[in-house]
Amino acid sequence: MTLSSSWRSPSNIALIKYWGKHGVQLPQNPSLSFTLEACHTAMKLSVIPEKGDQDLTFLYQGSPRPSFVPKIKVFLELMEEHMPWLRHASVEIDSSNTFPHGAGIASSASAMSALALCLTDIDDQINARQSTIDGAWWLRVSQYARLGSGSACRSVHPVMALWGQLTRVTKSSDEYAVPWKEEIAPFFHDYRDTILVVSAAEKSVSSTAGHALMRDLPYASTRYDEARANTWKLINALRSSDQLDEFIRICESEALQLHALMMMGRSPFMLIAPGTVSIIHEVWRYRKETNIPVCFTLDAGPNVHLLYPAQYADDVRRWVDEVLIRYCANGFFIEDRVGNGPERIL
Ligand code: DP6
């Protein structure tokens, strides 16, 4: 008997960065992210539970992609504890992204959250559980997604997600992300994110290796305290639309700190490129000249995410077309926005 499940799951962009972990993707500090919409993974998982030996086939955009298999294998092994049927199952994953692989856009968050969703769904089918998709179900999926890739646990919630324990937020946890939509002003629900692809080359240092380098960084504990303090400040700034100056200050500081951490280690590395720095200066100049509250954030790579309120979408598009496009590899950028989280595909 073959069981199957199909889900679409989005990428997310962290405003407060997760950088440094212990155990199995347990974060050293809380992180807070916008869930995206245009950048997502669509996945179909087909499982024969009693196949005998475990067996994995992974197709990406319809063709085998052996380079993705090791990370998925590690994830499936971790999942055996929660889903023992995986030990004897034949698993086929058919996955595709809306954004090109190699565009420098992190795919692990959308892919691992999609896989966690499909696995949970199939686990419910195997155990003849009534798939009540309630709050607890989403937290369970988030916890599983974390085992695949830390940032993936935030992709399962609409609009915003908070991952990591904060003493004054009782529902917060290091094990999974919690939804953070109701806690922010509706003004942010349709915030925009234009992703400027500065380089489409493969990263020289993976996020996983980057996290590991935090272990012997002399400034690590200061960074974790700072991230906690910034999380609180951002939580407060997100409560209304009239604290955009504070929102911008925290977002940009977090982005620059992330890359500063990479440069401060004992084995320093740099993922930003000359184009990244040029765009940052353009953002500062444009904001000063126009008063349009656009700011930037970065993930672990050279690409720049421009964050701005929906009402400025036309202005920002004009500015990208006239000025910023020259810094984009092959003129490539993606107009994304805050989204509503994963969806089952029928
Ligand atoms: C800079 O979640 O990709 O994007 O847990 O090892 O899979 P692993 O790392 P990953 O790290 C993401 C780092 C980041 C910041 C963030 O998304 O919070």
Side-chain angles (χ1 to χ4, degrees):
M1 183 188 45
T2 305
L3 302 171
S4 67
S5 171
S6 299
W7 280 84
R8 179 184 303 134
S9 191
S11 187
N12 69 77
I13 179 68
L15 308 183
I16 304 291
K17 309 294 181 182
Y18 147 59
W19 199 243
K21 62 176 169 181
H22 61 101
V24 185
Q25 267 91 254
L26 291 166
Q28 293 284 9
N29 62 260
S31 57
L32 196 55
S33 58
F34 276 141
T35 302
L36 297 179
E37 180 155 294
C39 291
H40 64 250
T41 296
M43 185 177 282
K44 180 176 182 195
L45 177 66
S46 308
V47 167
I48 307 174
E50 294 295 336
K51 184 76 194 318
D53 293 337
Q54 194 188 61
D55 153 45
L56 170 66
T57 312
F58 179 77
L59 300 178
Y60 179 74
Q61 324 274 67
S63 314
R65 224 13 124 90
S67 59
F68 287 14
V69 168
K71 197 162 178 167
I72 294 174
K73 275 208 159 133
V74 171
F75 176 46
L76 292 180
E77 266 166 43
L78 286 167
M79 286 302 297
E80 285 174 7
E81 188 191 327
H82 305 278
M83 301 177 184
W85 52 265
L86 270 172
R87 292 194 187 108
H88 309 286
S90 154
V91 173
E92 186 185 299
I93 301 168
D94 192 348
S95 174
S96 59
N97 289 344
T98 46
F99 46 101
H101 176 65
I105 296 167
S107 60
S108 65
S110 56
M112 289 300 181
S113 55
L115 185 51
L117 280 155
C118 294
L119 283 169
T120 308
D121 188 6
I122 288 183
D123 188 55
D124 288 350
Q125 295 176 37
I126 289 174
N127 293 304
R129 253 187 233 125
Q130 222 120 62
S131 247
T132 329
I133 300 197
D134 56 8
W137 192 87
W138 288 107
L139 298 185
R140 180 166 151 238
V141 175
S142 176
Q143 180 176 353
Y144 296 156
R146 189 202 94 229
L147 302 176
S149 177
S151 55
C153 76
R154 298 186 309 238
S155 276
V156 307
H157 299 303
V159 180
M160 270 206 123
L162 170 72
W163 172 36
Q165 176 105 60
L166 266 183
T167 36
R168 278 174 285 171
V169 180
T170 45
K171 68 173 179 176
S172 67
S173 170
D174 283 350
E175 308 266 333
Y176 48 77
V178 295
W180 206 254
K181 178 183 173 186
E182 302 308 324
E183 289 76 359
I184 68 173
F187 170 78
F188 290 102
H189 291 188
D190 66 347
Y191 228 65
R192 301 302 162 101
D193 178 2
T194 297
I195 307 166
L196 305 171
V197 178
V198 173
S199 166
E202 200 70 39
K203 283 188 281 186
S204 54
V205 179
S206 71
S207 292
T208 306
H211 286 289
L213 289 169
M214 286 297 285
R215 273 193 220 121
D216 51 22
L217 184 78
Y219 311 96
S221 65
T222 310
R223 160 61 195 162
Y224 303 141
D225 290 344
E226 173 76 357
R228 260 184 289 276
N230 274 347
T231 308
W232 268 116
K233 288 180 191 156
L234 191 61
I235 283 174
N236 286 322
L238 286 161
R239 287 200 174 114
S240 74
S241 59
D242 57 15
Q243 294 182 71
L244 276 185
D245 286 351
E246 176 76 344
F247 171 85
I248 288 170
R249 195 189 59 71
I250 298 164
C251 285
E252 294 189 348
S253 170
E254 277 290 312
L256 294 173
Q257 277 187 46
L258 169 69
H259 286 268
L261 291 166
M262 299 174 193
M263 296 181 221
M264 290 193 306
R266 293 193 174 123
S267 310
F269 63 103
M270 196 187 285
L271 296 182
I272 50 171
T276 318
V277 178
S278 300
I279 293 170
I280 291 172
H281 285 286
E282 295 284 6
V283 171
W284 286 338
R285 186 179 9 226
Y286 181 76
R287 197 163 68 221
K288 201 166 172 200
E289 281 171 12
T290 63
N291 261 329
I292 292 177
V294 56
C295 70
F296 67 85
T297 189
L298 308 164
D299 58 19
N303 302 332
V304 182
H305 290 244
L306 297 176
L307 302 175
Y308 51 94
Q311 73 206 79
Y312 298 108
D314 291 345
D315 300 274
V316 171
R317 177 58 194 256
R318 219 172 302 120
W319 173 48
V320 169
D321 284 340
E322 285 168 12
V323 179
L324 300 180
I325 199 156
R326 78 182 67 138
Y327 304 111
C328 300
N330 303 316
F332 188 52
F333 62 91
I334 297 171
E335 289 181 301
D336 210 337
R337 58 193 296 169
V338 168
N340 286 320
E343 260 182 57
R344 191 196 290 277
I345 313 169
L346 294 172

